[in-house]
Amino acid sequence: GLGCMRMSFGDTPTDKQEMIEFMAQAVERGVTFFDTAEVYGPFTNELLVGEALEPFRGKVVIATKFGFRHAGDQGPRPGSGLDSRPEQIKRVAEASLKRLRIEAIDLFYQHRPDPDVPIEDVAGAVKDLIAAGKVKHFGLSESSADLIRRAHAVQPVTALQSEYSIWWRTIEKDILPTCEELGIGLVPFSPLGRGYLTGKIDESTTFDSSDIRSRNPRFTQEAIKANRAVIELLERIATEKGATPAQIALAWLLAQKPWIVPIPGSRKLHRLDENLGAVNVALTPTDLADIDTAMAQIKVVGDRY
């Protein structure tokens, strides 16, 4: 999978035509799953993905998300913030279909749980959209095991998107077993720790104010330095395997479960090729046990948000 958010949202402006060509190159290389969201922009990322992938309709799967409100939205809630009311979900679906230039949304995620709307109502709204042929599959993002079960009872959940990587493993206790039991796939975002696990970031790295990492506790100079032990571990295994730290981090995810599909974000072909190379890196049970043992000794510094 390929995370598309940073192709038109956040730090470092990108050239639209360049990103359209980049996505075509990704399809050529065998990428079949593209992740976007209404809120990325808002709207600009869906427009970009829709234009880029229109020539490949039927060959690729596009996932998008609902659950946020934007300035100018009608209804009882002001401005921006969470909004998973059924009428909002249905309005977003119609708008996303147009921007993405598709007849049905392959995978429609609730972007974040909305404490003001029962999850049963959310699942019911998506169930209606599926019945109407406007959505194919229902997804959740960053949901608890309880919410997943309650939603799944109304409309089967196809996939859960949550942060998961070699240095963020909180979902292993309750959420992964729930997904396994119910037959729900996992789509890990930030599988490379927002770039940290590539080993390319050090204490001298600076981030533009538009880059979310400039405000992230894991990207202070102290945290970058303190977490170096994680990179040293990845570098050691990468050297043994003739791979890169990023490939080891992705191979680790792929080795956890057969139903895990990471979506590293990328905007450069050499980085995309490096990430895709992770599928050819085989980690043995001994490698995985060694990683677990080593990570148990490392205290990761800094909250993820």
Side-chain angles (χ1 to χ4, degrees):
L2 181 62
C4 300
M5 179 178 83
R6 289 178 66 236
M7 292 180 194
S8 68
F9 177 67
D11 60 321
T12 326
T14 49
D15 178 79
K16 180 183 162 187
Q17 200 50 45
E18 206 177 293
M19 291 299 101
I20 286 172
E21 286 164 17
F22 177 78
M23 279 186 262
Q25 292 277 353
V27 175
E28 257 179 49
R29 285 159 163 76
V31 174
T32 55
F33 182 52
F34 292 80
D35 182 89
T36 182
E38 181 199 44
V39 78
Y40 301 158
F43 318 127
T44 54
N45 202 251
E46 282 187 330
L47 287 165
L48 173 69
V49 169
E51 185 174 342
L53 298 180
E54 189 173 28
F56 307 105
R57 199 181 286 178
K59 295 181 184 170
V60 297
V61 169
I62 301 174
T64 192
K65 310 176 193 81
F66 63 85
F68 283 100
R69 166 166 201 81
H70 312 288
D73 283 357
Q74 300 300 306
R77 296 185 188 181
S80 58
L82 296 170
D83 192 349
S84 282
R85 291 171 302 134
E87 60 269 34
Q88 175 78 348
I89 295 170
K90 291 174 181 180
R91 185 199 63 72
V92 171
E94 297 292 350
S96 290
L97 284 168
K98 287 192 183 75
R99 285 190 290 267
L100 291 169
R101 307 184 185 191
I102 51 178
E103 264 120 54
I105 296 166
D106 295 303
L107 177 57
F108 203 30
Y109 291 108
Q110 182 188 34
H111 207 145
R112 289 292 184 273
D114 184 340
D116 295 330
V117 180
I119 193 66
E120 290 80 3
D121 293 357
V122 173
V126 179
K127 185 175 190 161
D128 291 347
L129 288 165
I130 291 171
K134 292 174 180 178
V135 169
K136 293 180 184 175
H137 300 279
F138 175 34
L140 297 174
S141 180
E142 295 275 277
S143 289
S144 66
D146 173 60
L147 285 178
I148 293 166
R149 287 181 187 283
R150 285 167 52 196
H152 192 74
V154 176
Q155 168 61 44
V157 176
T158 297
L160 173 76
Q161 184 170 134
S162 276
E163 183 166 353
Y164 186 41
S165 67
I166 206 165
W167 80 343
W168 182 260
R169 298 173 61 173
T170 308
I171 66 168
E172 288 179 344
K173 184 170 178 282
D174 299 321
I175 293 169
L176 278 187
T178 301
C179 288
E180 184 142 50
E181 178 195 330
L182 299 176
I184 297 169
L186 180 76
V187 179
F189 70 82
S190 297
L192 296 174
R194 296 178 178 80
Y196 184 78
L197 300 178
T198 63
K200 303 281 193 294
I201 291 169
D202 60 28
E203 299 97 294
S204 65
T205 305
T206 56
F207 300 101
D208 186 81
S209 61
S210 64
D211 189 322
I212 58 169
R213 292 173 294 186
S214 66
R215 301 176 294 284
N216 188 298
R218 291 207 172 167
F219 289 90
T220 62
Q221 281 189 322
E222 300 75 29
I224 287 171
K225 189 174 181 182
N227 293 327
R228 186 71 208 166
V230 181
I231 301 303
E232 286 165 1
L233 169 67
L234 292 173
E235 285 174 342
R236 177 170 61 75
I237 300 164
T239 302
E240 291 166 11
K241 299 280 177 187
T244 67
Q247 288 172 336
I248 299 302
L250 292 171
W252 179 86
L253 271 174
L254 294 171
Q256 298 309 302
K257 299 286 178 187
W259 37 268
I260 288 179
V261 180
I263 46 166
S266 185
R267 295 178 296 190
K268 295 187 172 76
L269 273 180
H270 71 275
R271 188 71 69 219
L272 177 70
D273 287 336
E274 179 186 350
N275 291 343
L276 294 176
V279 300
N280 301 317
V281 177
L283 296 177
T284 66
T286 307
D287 293 329
L288 295 170
D290 287 349
I291 290 170
D292 279 350
T293 304
M295 285 302 295
Q297 309 302 313
I298 298 170
K299 185 181 183 329
V300 174
V301 172
D303 289 330
R304 66 190 187 120
Y305 287 116

